[in-house]
Amino acid sequence: MKKETSKKISELRRDPVTRDWIVIATGRGKRPNDFAGLKKAEIAYVSKKECPFEDPKAHGNSEPILILDRSGKEIKKDSPDWFVQVVPNKYPAFSGTAKQRHARYVGPYTVLDGTGFHEVVIMRDHDRSFDAISQAEAQSVISAYAIRFNNLSLRSTIHYVSIFHNFGKEAGASLYHPHSQIMAIPVVPPDVSKSLAGSKRYFEDHGKCVHCEMIAWEKKDGKRIVFENAYFIAFCPFVSRSAFEIRIFPKAHEPTFKNISMEEIGECAEALRNILTRISLALNKPAYNFFIHTSPIDLENEENRFYPHYHWHIEILPKTAIWAGFELGTGIEISTIEPETAAQFLRKFKT
Ligand SMILES: [Zn+2]
Ligand SMILES: [Zn+2]
């Protein structure tokens, strides 16, 4: 058994004005790469020999929670044929085993323990990132997301499951080896809250899902669509927050990622892989982030009846700019290319 008990639990704090949450996770400071003294290039590239994800267990990681092969089939924990393995993060931002969330009050502030789960989804090949893997392999990764999402959403303290992927040091990846992360957390994150509130407002005003409306209009207008298959559509949003931002939506209205079918997993993998390949070719392998936005977890709400207005999707953000004073001071991001032009450019590349 690994000793986790000495690790300090993180803390969530809410600003009483904006009602936004932040997390203070001092335990993460123990991450070897995190503080001064490390040259940037070393974070950017770690040789295969030194890479902790070549053999995660040998590098002190716990037993994997899930292992899939290159076809997406679940296999034995010690199988050498693994393509995806999910392990608990060695430096979790959320941890602990509390059965209930207990809010405390410190002056005007609300404080919660950072109870939750933090997992890493490791892909097998050191130098093959998402844009270089096969369709079956991409499907294996999305399957791992779906299996873990469903499992984590059954935990009583969990309110949201965040799945994201950072590629390149400019996008915040602290390890070169391709991997995604899953954080199951006890609060609904501010970006999702705002998105839910906005979707709800539109639904109440118009009786329709705002996302379905945007998809319908994108299909009619055609200018910003980059890729489409039977179940998914990918486009540069009309209101892009940054250059080459892309979103992938299921065409059918669906509030949560939780209900994704096997068939949809295949189509989702195709769309995501296609988009990341185009970005890689068009922007010369830039750093990027992608993440899933989905409705929150609520055990008493298994039919998602409280979020009928939401529509899950993937947001892909190539790192094309850094936030400076204006963005930080106003929350307004500056995109340096029209989404119509970005989509047109991305469509040119053969995948
Ligand atoms: Zn590696
Ligand atoms: Zn919809």
Side-chain angles (χ1 to χ4, degrees):
M1 275 293 278
K2 247 178 71 201
K3 272 197 199 122
E4 291 284 358
T5 42
S6 60
K7 224 165 256 174
K8 196 169 176 288
I9 196 159
S10 64
E11 190 173 83
L12 290 148
R13 295 181 181 180
R14 185 158 76 172
D15 185 305
V17 180
T18 62
R19 298 174 67 81
D20 284 349
W21 291 92
I22 61 117
V23 61
I24 297 174
T26 50
R28 285 170 69 70
K30 287 181 193 139
R31 193 183 200 118
N33 286 346
D34 265 5
F35 292 107
L38 202 77
K39 286 184 202 85
K40 281 181 179 170
E42 289 175 77
I43 304 174
Y45 186 84
V46 174
S47 74
K48 225 173 144 172
K49 226 175 88 190
E50 296 161 297
C51 176
F53 287 168
E54 292 304 306
D55 185 349
K57 206 174 146 190
H59 279 83
N61 284 288
S62 311
E63 284 288 342
I65 301 161
L66 175 72
I67 297 196
L68 302 178
D69 68 9
R70 284 179 202 271
S71 70
K73 208 168 82 229
E74 212 168 327
I75 51 172
K76 278 211 226 81
K77 305 239 152 137
D78 43 11
S79 171
D81 298 328
W82 67 277
F83 177 68
V84 184
Q85 62 170 283
V86 182
V87 299
N89 194 309
K90 260 173 98 175
Y91 308 97
F94 294 87
S95 60
T97 52
K99 295 267 185 293
Q100 271 179 316
R101 303 187 311 156
H102 287 294
R104 334 187 267 287
Y105 302 94
V106 181
Y109 305 101
T110 309
V111 176
L112 268 182
D113 283 340
T115 299
F117 302 87
H118 188 171
E119 301 176 351
V120 189
V121 182
I122 304 168
M123 280 154 61
R124 178 65 179 263
D125 303 317
H126 193 72
D127 291 304
R128 287 171 76 233
S129 53
F130 227 107
D131 58 281
I133 59 177
S134 71
Q135 164 65 21
E137 290 166 343
Q139 206 165 315
S140 184
V141 179
I142 307 289
S143 290
Y145 293 169
I147 293 168
R148 292 310 302 150
F149 188 97
N150 274 276
N151 185 294
L152 291 165
S153 63
L154 297 173
R155 313 296 176 110
S156 57
T157 50
I158 298 309
H159 240 312
Y160 191 78
V161 179
S162 169
I163 298 177
F164 59 96
H165 184 101
N166 305 329
F167 177 77
K169 71 172 162 41
E170 298 88 349
S174 53
L175 276 169
Y176 171 82
H177 191 111
H179 65 285
S180 314
Q181 297 181 64
I182 303 178
M183 286 200 201
I185 63 176
V187 295
V188 177
D191 279 1
V192 175
S193 282
K194 280 168 199 156
S195 191
L196 286 167
S199 304
K200 193 174 179 193
R201 203 167 47 232
Y202 191 94
F203 196 83
E204 283 165 358
D205 291 349
H206 302 88
K208 286 174 187 157
C209 163
V210 63
H211 307 282
C212 285
E213 290 278 278
M214 288 192 289
I215 293 164
W217 187 64
E218 289 302 341
K219 285 188 77 159
K220 197 172 151 214
D221 199 41
K223 291 188 202 126
R224 286 161 299 275
I225 296 175
V226 182
F227 179 80
E228 194 177 349
N229 59 22
Y231 293 101
F232 289 85
I233 184 165
F235 55 86
C236 296
F238 184 78
V239 186
S240 287
R241 290 171 304 168
S242 59
F244 291 96
E245 175 184 351
I246 297 163
R247 293 188 185 183
I248 301 175
F249 282 87
K251 290 182 185 176
H253 180 73
E254 173 57 62
T256 174
F257 176 66
K258 196 178 168 191
N259 299 335
I260 193 166
S261 68
M262 276 311 289
E263 209 178 348
E264 288 164 334
I265 285 173
E267 298 267 310
C268 180
E270 185 192 30
L272 183 59
R273 190 174 148 265
N274 184 290
I275 291 304
L276 294 174
T277 305
R278 282 176 199 277
I279 285 174
S280 175
L281 293 169
L283 305 176
N284 193 21
K285 240 180 167 2
Y288 60 78
N289 306 98
F290 71 76
F291 48 84
I292 296 175
H293 266 179
T294 176
S295 59
I297 306 302
D298 238 321
L299 281 183
E300 60 275 25
N301 173 30
E302 279 183 332
E303 302 302 316
N304 281 292
R305 61 185 187 278
F306 298 130
Y307 308 105
H309 47 275
Y310 204 58
H311 194 132
W312 82 268
H313 57 274
I314 303 176
E315 301 193 13
I316 301 146
L317 293 158
K319 207 75 197 161
T320 50
I322 34 170
W323 274 40
F326 180 69
E327 292 87 343
L328 291 167
T330 62
I332 301 171
E333 296 178 53
I334 301 173
S335 179
T336 47
I337 184 171
E338 287 177 324
E340 293 77 18
T341 314
Q344 191 186 33
F345 185 63
L346 289 168
R347 282 197 299 267
K348 279 185 197 158
F349 294 87
K350 294 263 173 296
T351 56

